[in-house]
Amino acid sequence: MSVRILALVGSLRSGSHNRQLAEAAARHAPEGTTVELYEGLGDIPFYNEDIDTDSAPASAVRLREAAGRADALLLFTPEYNGTMPAVLKNGIDWLSRPFGGNAVSGKPTAVVGTAFGQYGGAWAQEEARKAAGIAGGSVLGDLQLTIPNSMVRFAETHPADDTEVTDQLVEIIHRISGHVTQAAPQAA
């Protein structure tokens, strides 16, 4: 069984270490698993139930369709003022609808990331796990990767070239895939 994991990156910055971390996950994904980086999270308007109608914004529809095609989600988040960035929270909000039948309902979801601080974005990851779980995702809370001091650690090395980081990412992707394949017979 081939497993498709949709990666949502909570940083829009072109040199984002979290984007680089997602690129590393895509590059080092084990055989039989694809990690697809979602492009366009910043193009989606802030969630507003008044515009979430039969003609929802095309950017939100694209996100929902991408999540619908995926078997699992992998969220990459920096930490902004002790929490996740608004763009990631907004993506989760759009994915949480329609209530009870959304594109992430029951899908294995993991949250990882890197941040400048000494805790590697742990608070942001906790908030993202909470929001993704309330949105209906099956949050894999035991899969955690917090990488502190990103500005120093990745100043001269791309995360894809950091063996310790890639080993941890590959392990997380393996475990996400295991949750997907374990759930597949039950869904059939």
Side-chain angles (χ1 to χ4, degrees), residues 59-130:
S59 55
V61 171
R62 278 191 301 277
L63 173 64
R64 288 173 173 166
E65 289 173 346
R69 289 188 302 269
D71 299 305
L73 295 171
L74 183 53
L75 311 180
F76 294 82
T77 186
E79 189 165 279
Y80 294 172
N81 299 312
T83 192
M84 75 179 114
V87 69
L88 183 58
K89 174 65 167 70
N90 188 51
I92 293 168
D93 288 346
W94 277 102
L95 289 172
S96 73
R97 301 290 191 265
F99 181 75
N102 63 59
V104 298
S105 185
K107 287 193 179 178
T109 303
V111 181
V112 299
T114 185
F116 180 67
Q118 65 181 339
Y119 302 113
W123 291 346
Q125 290 183 35
E126 287 175 26
E127 293 295 320
R129 282 184 198 93
K130 176 182 173 186

Side-chain angles (χ1 to χ4, degrees), residues 20 29 129 150 182:
Q20 292 175 3
R129 282 184 198 93
S150 60
Q182 185 178 32

Side-chain angles (χ1 to χ4, degrees), residues 2 19 35 38 56 67 70 74 81 85 92 96 99 109 117 127 138 158 166 171 174 177-178 181:
S2 179
R19 177 165 183 86
V35 176
Y38 184 78
L74 183 53
N81 299 312
I92 293 168
S96 73
F99 181 75
T109 303
E127 293 295 320
S138 178
H158 190 287
T166 58
E171 176 62 23
H174 269 300
S177 296
T181 55

